[in-house]
Amino acid sequence: MKIFLPLIATFLFLSTAHAQRNYSYNNRIGLGIDATFFNLQTDDVAVEGKVGWSAGLETRGAWKPYWNMIFGIQLFNNKFSVKEALTQDDIEMSVIGAEVKLLWAYKIANRDYLSLEVGPAFAFNGEFKVADRRYEESIIDGSSAVTVKSFQETSPININGIIGLSGGLEQIRFSAHYHYAFLDVLNGKNALSEELNGNMSYITAGVRLYF
């Protein structure tokens, strides 16, 4: 959590300065909360996505005709499960992290009520956490022999692409976005010392309240 505090402080400084300089209908700070639907694209293990959550702050401002710009910081807790190879038990897992995003929002029909949003993000995440530590030495069901402990090893930094829609009124908007991590997130190896490969992605769906 300590790594997230400087990010939040930076966001508050930049967004407050931006709001003081040019406040209008389209220059405001928002608080958001989402449900997340996780996926890991890998050939090494079988992963089943679960429902997680994310929450954060963002500032939304007028940029050009037909366009807004969004800068935000989102904390996430994505959840998923894998199966133990021998018993087929579900092993509950999660990954916690933060995403710093910059999105360009195209106002459809030049109205604020609905926008198409796209842009990059930097993501910072911890290792995959297993809910029950008794499974750490278990072999995961999949195409290669991988222990849970090795599967937990991840790259801490990634570059994400985001695309989605949001719509609503001045003080409330509903949104849905797809997030895809371009860099390989898995750092572990299988029983043959072959490196694991996989890319994270997830869908967020939720609400924004603006002040």
Side-chain angles (χ1 to χ4, degrees):
M1 183 61 67
K2 290 182 179 179
I3 191 174
F4 303 144
L5 295 179
L7 297 177
I8 295 172
T10 301
F11 169 82
L12 292 174
F13 173 78
L14 293 175
S15 58
T16 301
H18 178 68
Q20 289 176 343
R21 184 176 65 250
N22 186 20
Y23 180 84
S24 70
Y25 177 93
N26 280 326
N27 294 93
R28 55 202 190 276
I29 298 173
L31 173 66
I33 186 167
D34 299 289
T36 66
F37 306 89
F38 180 81
N39 185 41
L40 180 66
Q41 300 176 14
T42 177
D43 295 326
D44 295 300
V45 300
V47 175
E48 181 181 357
K50 304 288 185 179
V51 179
W53 60 267
S54 69
L57 298 170
E58 68 180 37
T59 179
R60 186 182 188 99
W63 182 44
K64 291 183 177 181
Y66 284 90
W67 291 92
N68 285 341
M69 184 175 287
I70 303 165
F71 172 71
I73 297 176
Q74 203 84 1
L75 306 181
F76 60 81
N77 185 1
N78 290 327
K79 298 180 181 293
F80 59 98
S81 68
V82 295
K83 286 190 178 295
E84 207 275 338
L86 182 61
T87 64
Q88 291 297 294
D89 289 343
D90 284 331
I91 303 174
E92 302 293 333
M93 304 188 73
S94 64
V95 56
I96 296 174
E99 187 180 59
V100 182
K101 64 184 180 181
L102 178 64
L103 304 181
W104 292 271
Y106 175 74
K107 297 185 289 184
I108 297 174
N110 200 23
R111 300 290 184 179
D112 287 303
Y113 307 119
L114 182 64
S115 63
L116 173 65
E117 299 164 359
V118 61
F122 286 105
F124 309 88
N125 59 265
E127 66 176 15
F128 293 162
K129 297 291 186 181
V130 60
D132 191 338
R133 297 178 65 90
R134 294 179 300 172
Y135 287 109
E136 283 190 343
E137 300 301 330
S138 297
I139 302 296
I140 300 174
D141 189 33
S143 61
S144 59
V146 182
T147 65
V148 171
K149 189 172 183 179
S150 181
F151 180 63
Q152 288 181 267
E153 299 177 15
T154 62
S155 300
I157 298 176
N158 219 309
I159 299 174
N160 293 357
I162 304 174
I163 186 169
L165 293 168
S166 78
L169 303 175
E170 177 180 358
Q171 293 183 325
I172 184 170
R173 293 182 75 89
F174 299 93
S175 66
H177 294 86
Y178 175 71
H179 307 241
Y180 180 79
F182 291 108
L183 305 181
D184 181 9
V185 69
L186 299 179
N187 269 351
K189 296 182 179 181
N190 62 19
L192 300 176
S193 295
E194 298 170 331
E195 292 187 356
L196 305 179
N197 295 285
N199 295 81
M200 292 192 301
S201 65
Y202 59 97
I203 294 171
T204 55
V207 63
R208 304 287 182 271
L209 300 176
Y210 290 97
F211 308 98

